[in-house]
Structure formats: structure tokens, C-alpha cells
């Protein structure tokens, strides 16, 4: 059974940093692209960025380019989201999500409860 254990969220001041971790069990992580979605207050859940099984990053949200990066350690079945220079508008629930394919298609067919990130001004 596929499970995603997310951690690393919390409260941070603007211009601070956080690193989210997503540990997968029940699947071989390097068979899939993995992304992060987020839902900010008042908006629908949307894709932020994704990493394919070769380590290539695709950004879905222009506002995070240059500030957020995603990496993966397939030996640990873990994906990391490094968030730097955080802004209050980054506040939301962040979801680790499994893409349907090994490349970043944007079709995420599994995510779980997410982790809250709150950026104070």
C-alpha cells in the first residue's frame, strides 16, 4: 500500500527557509516523477514543481523559481523540497504527490494529507 510520510512544515518568518521531506513506502520511488502541490487560502490546489526520475525539475509556479528546489534520494525513497526566501504568499498546505508517469506530466494520482507551511510577515 502506497504511503507518503511528509514532514518539515511549520511557521517561519518571511525571508526564512524550510525543507520539506516526503518518504514514500509501498512503491519504488525512482519509477515515478514526484511533485509538490500546494493549496493557499482561498485558492484551489495547484502544482508547484516536480522532479522526474532522472532528476530534472519542472516548475509549474513561476513565483517560486529561484527560491524553491526539489531533489530526490532514491536510495532513501525520499524527495525533498527546499524553500528559501519564503514569502507570506507561500503560506498554505503543501502536498507531496506521485505523478502518473516517470516524467513530469502534471497528472498527480496520489497525495495525502499534506503539511502546513505558514510564513509570517
Amino acid at each position: 500500500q502506497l504511503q507518503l510520510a511528509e514532514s518539515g512544515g511549520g511557521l517561519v518568518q518571511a525571508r526564512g527557509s524550510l525543507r520539506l521531506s516526503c518518504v514514500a513506502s509501498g512503491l519504488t520511488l525512482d519509477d515515478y516523477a514526484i511533485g509538490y502541490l500546494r493549496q493557499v487560502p482561498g485558492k484551489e490546489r495547484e502544482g508547484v514543481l516536480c522532479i522526474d526520475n532522472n532528476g530534472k525539475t519542472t516548475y509549474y509556479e513561476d513565483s517560486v523559481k529561484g527560491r524553491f528546489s526539489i531533489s530526490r534520494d532514491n536510495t532513501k525513497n525520499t524527495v525533498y523540497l527546499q524553500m528559501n526566501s519564503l514569502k507570506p504568499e507561500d503560506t498554505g498546505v503543501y502536498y507531496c504527490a506521485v505523478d502518473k508517469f516517470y516524467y513530469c506530466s502534471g497528472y498527480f494520482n496520489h497525495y495525502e494529507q499534506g503539511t502546513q507551511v505558514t510564513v509570517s510577515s
Side-chain angles (χ1 to χ4, degrees):
Q1 181 180 354
L2 172 57
Q3 288 187 315
L4 302 173
E6 301 175 67
S7 61
L11 174 64
V12 65
Q13 290 187 330
R15 296 179 296 280
S17 297
L18 281 176
R19 189 176 82 156
L20 306 185
S21 298
C22 175
V23 182
S25 58
L27 85 165
T28 301
L29 196 66
D30 57 2
D31 287 342
Y32 298 93
I34 305 294
Y36 270 90
L37 315 176
R38 74 180 176 187
Q39 186 164 20
V40 301
K43 293 187 177 181
E44 293 187 353
R45 189 178 296 117
E46 62 182 7
V48 181
L49 76 175
C50 171
I51 185 167
D52 69 14
N53 68 338
N54 287 319
K56 177 185 174 183
T57 300
T58 298
Y59 286 92
Y60 300 117
E61 175 56 51
D62 286 343
S63 69
V64 307
K65 288 182 180 179
R67 301 189 297 121
F68 289 14
S69 61
I70 188 170
S71 61
R72 62 194 298 158
D73 185 341
N74 291 335
T75 65
K76 296 181 179 179
N77 247 26
T78 302
V79 172
Y80 304 98
L81 174 62
Q82 179 67 44
M83 304 185 291
N84 299 326
S85 302
L86 282 159
K87 303 176 181 180
E89 52 264 43
D90 294 318
T91 294
V93 180
Y94 285 71
Y95 301 84
C96 173
V98 182
D99 197 293
K100 189 176 180 180
F101 302 101
Y102 64 90
Y103 59 92
C104 293
S105 71
Y107 291 97
F108 298 103
N109 60 4
H110 185 90
Y111 54 87
E112 297 183 12
Q113 76 279 4
T115 186
Q116 176 70 42
V117 171
T118 303
V119 185
S120 63
S121 57

